[in-house]
Amino acid sequence: MKRLLVAIGCVLSLSFAAYAEPAKAPAAPDAKPAVAAPATAPAATVAPATDAAKVAAPAPAKPAEEKKATLKANPKVTIPIFLAIIGATMAVVVWSAKQTKSAADFYTAGGGITGTQNGWAIAGDYMSAASFLGISGMISLYGYDGFMYSVGWLVAYITVLLIVAEPCRNAGKYTLGDILSFRTSPKPVRAVAAISTVAVSTFYLTAQMVGAGKLMQLLLGVPYKTAIIGVGILMVGYVVFGGMTATTWVQIIKAGLLMTGAFLLSVLVSIKSGFSPLQFFTDIATNQNIIDHVKLLPIYLKESAAGTATADAGQRFLEPGLFLTNPLDQISLGMALVLGTAGMPHILMRFFTVPTAQAARKSVIVAMFIIGSFYILTTLLGFGAAIHLSPQGIKQVDAGGNMAAMMLAKQMGGEFSPFLGDLLLAFLCAVAFATILAVVSGLVLAASAAIAHDIYVNVIKDGHADQKEQVFAARATSFIVGACGILIGIAAEKQNVAHLVALAFAVASSGNLPVVVMSLFWKKFNTAGVIAGLVVGTIASVGLVMVSPNMTYPDKVADNAKMAYTKLEKEIAEGKVKPEAMEKTLKTIEAKKAEEVKNRGGKSMLGLSKPLFTLKNPGILSIPLGFIAAILATLMFPCKKAEEMWDEIYVRQNTGLGMAKAIDH
Amino acid sequence: MAEQTYNWSAIAKNPKFIELHHKKTAFLFGWWIFSTIYYFLLPIGAAYAPGLFKIQILGRINFGYLFALSQFFVSWGLAMYYAHVANKDFDRLTRELVNELQ
């Protein structure tokens, strides 16, 4: 097995080296920002996907001779750093492969992770490329709203800490199904829980995979498919050979690198304003580029036209409402975040890796400090990027602002020496790569645990499978799940996957969380309640997303195309287009017209011409539905056995008595 | 791995367990509700009380920014407070109960 791992490592290193070469070619950075925007920042664009698209739409209208700002990684610096990170994680896999003998080793690292380690791993699992790149980008383009957006991601952990972490550690073994099936009919409950877990993981995984592909394409010029296959093979390697031990250490390494990178950059930004927050905010509010940028935002235009603009444009950047304009959608998103995080199967699974409830508690607290510090640092990164790079420049590289942190690294380091700029950029690229690997590995593990442990071992084999068979099943399903992840990632290249993250959080908050909470805290809760809660919560949230503005509505696409070409035609009529750009502009007009014709009168996937449900986040409706369904079904089909077993689960979750022994070699 | 069997309903009636359970429930749900309300004041306030959020407090730094920043410190403070209470009270009660049973 060791030889096989080394061989995989070599092949990957070679393929990276080979594909990094074309990055030098001038054509490489010609990525399509409008497409990359929603994909590289899946979570950050949960709410704003269409707004970002709107902003991006007029981009082709820019005169051709205007130089596009580009972001190029220097392969001479980048490749060694990439190889070092892949090498370090490979070493972890080889080491942990030796330790993985039982199913408990595979799913929970034998319960032998300490609270602090687990805290770093949770932080690593949670700070996806979306938070890291997307939030700093949102702040750099929309100021205050970007920062406000990041708050919910931390507050979500209060729910995890107070409500689920410790009871889960005491009540469960490997998966969500273990907790839910404790005093209910195990087979149907496990099957439904496994389906929900696989659904949530797949939505999240697909969004991450597509984001990974686009990011690697944009940064290194690696072709999309190669990037997905590379990430996919590494991810499958980590999970299949190293199980939870390797996955945990990849997450810890990544969280450490990410914090280092964010901290270094923040220090560089702070130096610029003399480490004075007051100066920093004055710099933001008086920056001419930011003022120009805000003046052109639709909301500010509207406000000044209506005479309601109370602040100057620079100060307006520090006030709410430039981006998140629908309060109900905002609140709905907050609900999905706060309740969904605690229902995410890959987060729940992390509590089974520690030996005691105390360690579970400690790990959440450690994670909260890391995640919180990180989000506070993103303020410095986001606003710093807006000051030193200008929102206009950031938008040119990527319309969604996802490259703001990367550009900032190159710029800030470059002020000392070009080499330092390249080095910092290469470091951040590698961090982004490690981030994606860590997050996808965790998701693959959660999905394969649901299939192998819940469905194969407990439903099909009635729990009668020896350790060897269980480990084999776990490895085999991880391989299959990983392979499916790669295929889905390739197939979804052209899709707008932003809504998938909304879906993952919606299902976790409306399906998983209500049933977890009631299993732990309601005496009467039973089989009927679990199944009704999971099914109704999941169907309601998926259904609402399908009819929400997250989907593509061809008529809307047609309208946007029409707006774009009308604007271009007007520019030509006004003589604003330079002769040398004329041909290109005419071509764009042709393309937009064709796009309009193609889409006009079309229907969305569900045959709708416009969204039925106007919020992008269904939580505000689907979460109560999940709870109500679970409660009604429980009351309608009372179950004596479930009530009789209540004492046991309640005493267990509070005291840890009779806890599944983590280590049973 | 032969698990020791316990008389669960007897433990559930143990006064120590009842004390633990009451203390925990009150603390956990009380503070959870507090933190949730505090969090939702941010999006609700930003949407419905923009005037308040715009008030500049320190130089160019406004109330809205400080309020958003306070969310981090309130969450951290609550986490630390919970850790303190849990380590001191809940864990001690649990230990006493478990010792009594063994």
Side-chain angles (χ1 to χ4, degrees):
Chain A
M1 181 180 296
K2 219 171 162 184
R3 233 182 269 163
L4 187 59
L5 286 175
V6 175
I8 291 176
C10 291
V11 171
L12 276 168
S13 321
L14 285 175
S15 64
F16 269 103
Y19 276 108
E21 283 306 300
K24 280 186 220 154
D30 186 32
K32 301 162 205 82
V35 185
T40 41
T45 39
V46 169
T50 49
D51 302 64
K54 257 185 244 152
V55 177
K62 278 196 186 108
E65 82 276 4
E66 188 179 304
K67 256 210 139 158
K68 266 196 112 185
T70 52
L71 182 71
K72 235 196 280 182
N74 179 349
K76 282 195 188 103
V77 191
T78 313
I79 292 173
I81 295 190
F82 263 73
L83 291 183
I85 288 184
I86 294 176
T89 49
M90 276 291 168
V92 170
V93 176
V94 172
W95 165 72
S96 43
K98 276 191 235 151
Q99 326 241 321
T100 305
K101 293 189 188 80
S102 67
D105 293 334
F106 190 87
Y107 294 127
T108 66
I113 306 282
T114 69
T116 312
Q117 288 166 352
N118 198 37
W120 279 89
I122 291 172
D125 222 337
Y126 198 59
M127 296 184 294
S128 61
S131 343
F132 160 44
L133 300 172
I135 297 211
S136 43
M138 259 176 87
I139 297 176
S140 75
L141 294 184
Y142 302 100
Y144 182 82
D145 278 5
F147 180 54
M148 192 167 86
Y149 185 84
S150 67
V151 171
W153 296 81
L154 173 73
V155 175
Y157 272 90
I158 290 286
T159 308
V160 179
L161 176 69
L162 298 182
I163 313 285
V164 302
E166 294 174 50
C168 280
R169 166 58 275 180
N170 282 339
K173 200 174 166 202
Y174 303 145
T175 63
L176 174 70
D178 289 335
I179 302 171
L180 300 181
S181 63
F182 199 85
R183 57 195 173 111
T184 54
S185 316
K187 280 193 181 184
V189 167
R190 276 189 194 275
V192 177
I195 292 169
S196 150
T197 299
V198 172
V200 172
S201 308
T202 311
F203 296 148
Y204 213 70
L205 183 69
T206 308
Q208 295 290 339
M209 288 295 271
V210 175
K214 306 272 175 182
L215 190 68
M216 293 298 119
Q217 198 180 28
L218 193 68
L219 287 173
L220 302 174
V222 183
Y224 179 83
K225 270 185 199 150
T226 318
I228 297 269
I229 293 171
V231 169
I233 291 177
L234 277 174
M235 144 188 110
V236 170
Y238 294 151
V239 178
V240 170
F241 295 112
M244 184 53 105
T245 316
T247 304
T248 303
W249 281 100
V250 172
Q251 278 151 350
I252 295 175
I253 292 172
K254 163 266 162 111
L257 291 174
L258 181 58
M259 288 308 286
T260 312
F263 181 73
L264 274 179
L265 262 185
S266 308
V267 171
L268 290 177
V269 169
S270 306
I271 291 175
K272 289 270 179 180
S273 47
F275 289 101
S276 151
L278 289 182
Q279 184 59 44
F280 184 64
F281 277 84
T282 312
D283 288 348
I284 300 165
T286 55
N287 184 290
Q288 194 54 47
N289 286 325
I290 295 178
I291 293 174
D292 292 345
H293 166 73
V294 173
K295 277 187 175 158
L296 284 177
L297 288 177
I299 182 101
Y300 192 78
L301 288 174
K302 232 187 260 169
E303 281 171 15
S304 11
T308 51
T310 48
D312 57 276
Q315 186 64 30
R316 188 70 184 79
F317 199 62
L318 298 170
E319 290 169 0
L322 289 183
F323 195 69
L324 307 164
T325 41
N326 183 347
L328 270 186
D329 215 347
Q330 254 290 86
I331 294 164
S332 188
L333 171 72
M335 286 174 71
L337 275 181
V338 167
L339 300 172
T341 305
M344 280 286 179
H346 65 294
I347 299 279
L348 282 177
M349 203 176 169
R350 291 231 58 90
F351 297 116
F352 308 132
T353 63
V354 290
T356 59
Q358 284 77 15
R361 178 194 311 148
K362 190 174 175 195
S363 51
V364 183
I365 292 170
V366 170
M368 282 180 71
F369 275 91
I370 299 168
I371 294 168
S373 321
F374 174 76
Y375 283 125
I376 292 181
L377 292 182
T378 55
T379 336
L380 284 166
L381 303 187
F383 283 129
I387 298 173
H388 300 296
L389 297 162
S390 84
Q392 296 86 344
I394 293 165
K395 254 169 80 181
Q396 274 178 28
V397 171
D398 181 288
N402 295 306
M403 289 300 119
M406 300 285 178
M407 292 167 72
L408 187 70
K410 186 154 178 157
Q411 164 99 8
M412 289 283 137
E415 291 195 358
F416 295 94
S417 79
F419 175 74
L420 198 63
D422 283 344
L423 187 69
L424 266 182
L425 175 60
F427 181 71
L428 278 202
C429 288
V431 171
F433 179 71
T435 293
I436 294 161
L437 276 181
V439 177
V440 292
S441 304
L443 290 166
V444 168
L445 196 58
S448 80
I451 299 173
H453 175 68
D454 284 328
I455 296 201
Y456 178 75
V457 175
N458 280 299
V459 175
I460 296 177
K461 298 288 250 175
D462 267 324
H464 303 302
D466 59 24
Q467 283 300 336
K468 225 175 144 190
E469 199 184 345
Q470 287 196 35
V471 175
F472 178 77
R475 290 205 154 117
T477 46
S478 307
F479 183 80
I480 296 166
V481 170
C484 292
I486 297 174
L487 292 179
I488 296 174
I490 291 174
E493 177 180 1
K494 299 258 185 295
Q495 304 296 313
N496 177 349
V497 293
H499 60 276
L500 288 177
V501 177
L503 259 180
F505 273 93
V507 173
S509 59
S510 326
N512 296 356
L513 185 86
V515 295
V516 170
V517 169
M518 284 194 245
S519 287
L520 295 172
F521 296 101
W522 190 24
K523 184 174 181 177
K524 287 193 173 138
F525 199 51
N526 57 32
T527 311
V530 176
I531 292 177
L534 274 175
V535 171
V536 172
T538 305
I539 291 178
S541 47
V542 172
L544 285 172
V545 170
M546 298 296 271
V547 299
S548 76
N550 290 303
M551 290 292 151
T552 308
Y553 296 91
D555 262 339
K556 228 171 146 189
V557 177
D559 286 343
N560 284 340
K562 190 175 177 187
M563 250 164 60
Y565 76 71
T566 324
K567 191 176 170 216
L568 289 175
E569 278 173 345
K570 206 174 133 208
E571 277 177 12
I572 292 177
E574 287 168 356
K576 272 190 193 162
V577 180
K578 301 246 164 74
E580 60 269 28
M582 189 58 88
E583 196 185 335
K584 207 178 160 198
T585 314
L586 286 174
K587 263 194 189 149
T588 315
I589 293 178
E590 282 302 304
K592 289 282 170 195
K593 280 192 171 157
E595 199 182 320
E596 194 203 353
V597 173
K598 199 176 127 208
N599 284 296
R600 184 62 70 200
K603 304 269 186 229
S604 81
M605 237 163 80
L606 289 187
L608 298 168
S609 49
K610 64 174 200 290
L612 270 183
F613 182 70
T614 53
L615 302 181
K616 287 179 198 118
N617 300 285
I620 203 163
L621 197 60
S622 62
I623 295 172
L625 279 177
F627 272 103
I628 291 169
I631 293 170
L632 284 184
T634 303
L635 295 177
M636 265 160 38
F637 305 98
C639 168
K640 262 207 133 137
K641 183 186 151 234
E643 280 186 54
E644 279 163 8
M645 285 186 73
W646 164 247
D647 283 341
E648 176 173 354
I649 192 170
Y650 202 69
V651 172
R652 283 171 82 128
Q653 77 186 44
N654 273 297
T655 58
L657 282 172
M659 191 169 84
K661 287 283 166 282
I663 298 145
D664 56 350
H665 317 293
Chain B
M1 52 176 210
E3 264 177 33
Q4 194 182 339
T5 46
Y6 296 95
N7 181 350
W8 300 108
S9 57
I11 303 174
K13 290 192 191 78
N14 186 311
K16 277 221 171 82
F17 181 80
I18 292 171
E19 187 193 350
L20 174 71
H21 147 81
H22 279 309
K23 273 194 172 171
K24 255 182 142 167
T25 312
F27 185 96
L28 296 180
F29 284 93
W31 284 106
W32 183 79
I33 290 166
F34 164 81
S35 85
T36 307
I37 292 174
Y38 192 72
Y39 167 65
F40 280 103
L41 285 179
L42 181 68
I44 294 172
Y48 298 107
L52 173 68
F53 276 47
K54 284 174 184 170
I55 299 170
Q56 292 177 30
I57 293 184
L58 283 167
R60 293 283 197 156
I61 304 175
N62 57 21
F63 175 81
Y65 185 81
L66 292 176
F67 184 57
L69 196 63
S70 79
Q71 298 273 344
F72 290 89
F73 292 94
V74 168
S75 299
W76 283 339
L78 181 55
M80 294 298 285
Y81 178 54
Y82 170 60
H84 174 74
V85 173
N87 290 337
K88 207 182 76 188
D89 280 357
F90 302 157
D91 286 356
R92 178 179 53 82
L93 281 169
T94 312
R95 244 192 334 270
E96 284 174 17
L97 178 70
V98 173
N99 288 339
E100 196 182 293
L101 294 171
Q102 277 161 354

